[in-house]
Amino acid sequence: MSPFHEVLFPLDVALGASGGPERLTDIVRLGSGREERNARWAHSRRRYDAGYGVKTLGGLQAVVAFFEERRGRLHGFRFRDPLDHASGPPGAAPSPTDQPIGTGDGETVAFALARTYGAGPAAYVRPIVKPVAATVRVAIGGVETEDFALDPATGLVTFASPPGEGAAITAGFLFDVPVRFDTDRLEVNLTSFAAGEIPSIPLIEIRV
């Protein structure tokens, strides 16, 4: 059985979850009072608590069933980040010119989807490996094209013929985050749930 299941965590629960990106930075304090800082990870890693999205008993039952299907921490799955799941501005439909994903050289046919945060030399380029296939739009030199194939399990866009040298390759899309449960145990107390207590459902991003 695959270590990653191409299924989406219950969307109504995901959209109420809390969480976001995490970085790992080493900080050494020098005798002078200055600091030396070193980033341990090239890419951030996202953590979530989906418990905040559970509002009904039906939602809780759906999460328990999903947890059992994934065998706890064993299998990864798709999760829709409630804040960051689109290539463009919040609420806007994906545009084929939302994000740069490469530049044509007349030979290369495969380009990986990515989302860029910020601008200039400090901009962060995040690989997008779990796009929502039906939403992906691609443009070459600002002109939308459908002459490509998408691998929705990796985020790789492959053109039938290589884009011309210097042509800007851009894309727009919705995307999911590959995650797994960060626990092998869900503790559910219906009395506490009825009283408004939120169960903890920790999730953590994985590399696939």
Side-chain angles (χ1 to χ4, degrees):
M1 187 178 293
S2 169
F4 190 89
H5 293 174
E6 292 289 345
V7 295
L8 184 63
F9 185 83
L11 191 56
D12 57 335
V13 176
L15 294 180
S18 68
E22 173 187 39
R23 291 278 179 175
L24 183 60
T25 308
D26 286 335
I27 300 178
V28 178
R29 291 177 176 83
L30 306 178
S32 64
R34 295 179 180 273
E35 293 181 343
E36 293 287 346
R37 294 178 295 276
N38 180 59
R40 295 279 298 275
W41 297 343
H43 298 290
S44 55
R45 189 180 200 185
R46 282 154 175 76
R47 290 182 179 270
Y48 306 95
D49 191 336
Y52 290 93
V54 178
K55 306 299 183 185
T56 66
L57 185 59
L60 184 57
Q61 289 175 327
V63 170
V64 170
F66 194 88
F67 176 86
E68 292 287 23
E69 287 181 298
R70 308 287 86 76
R71 309 298 193 266
R73 294 186 295 178
L74 185 60
H75 299 292
F77 52 91
R78 288 172 174 256
F79 178 82
R80 188 70 50 84
D81 187 311
L83 174 66
D84 189 4
H85 59 260
S87 58
S95 162
T97 58
D98 279 344
Q99 297 290 326
I101 63 171
T103 302
D105 59 8
E107 297 180 1
T108 303
V109 296
F111 297 83
L113 292 179
R115 192 190 192 299
T116 301
Y117 298 79
Y124 167 59
V125 180
R126 174 187 178 187
I128 300 299
V129 297
K130 297 297 176 185
V132 180
T135 70
V136 176
R137 302 174 66 186
V138 177
I140 301 175
V143 179
E144 186 169 10
T145 178
E146 296 183 354
D147 192 20
F148 69 92
L150 171 73
D151 184 347
T154 65
L156 195 66
V157 170
T158 303
F159 294 100
S161 57
E165 187 170 354
I169 315 302
T170 56
F173 43 83
L174 299 182
F175 62 93
D176 300 318
V177 182
V179 303
R180 63 166 171 79
F181 286 101
D182 198 23
T183 181
D184 275 326
R185 176 173 178 254
L186 287 185
E187 186 170 346
V188 178
N189 185 312
L190 290 184
T191 301
S192 299
F193 182 72
E197 183 174 322
I198 298 171
S200 178
I201 307 172
L203 309 174
I204 187 169
E205 185 177 5
I206 58 178
R207 307 297 182 206
V208 293

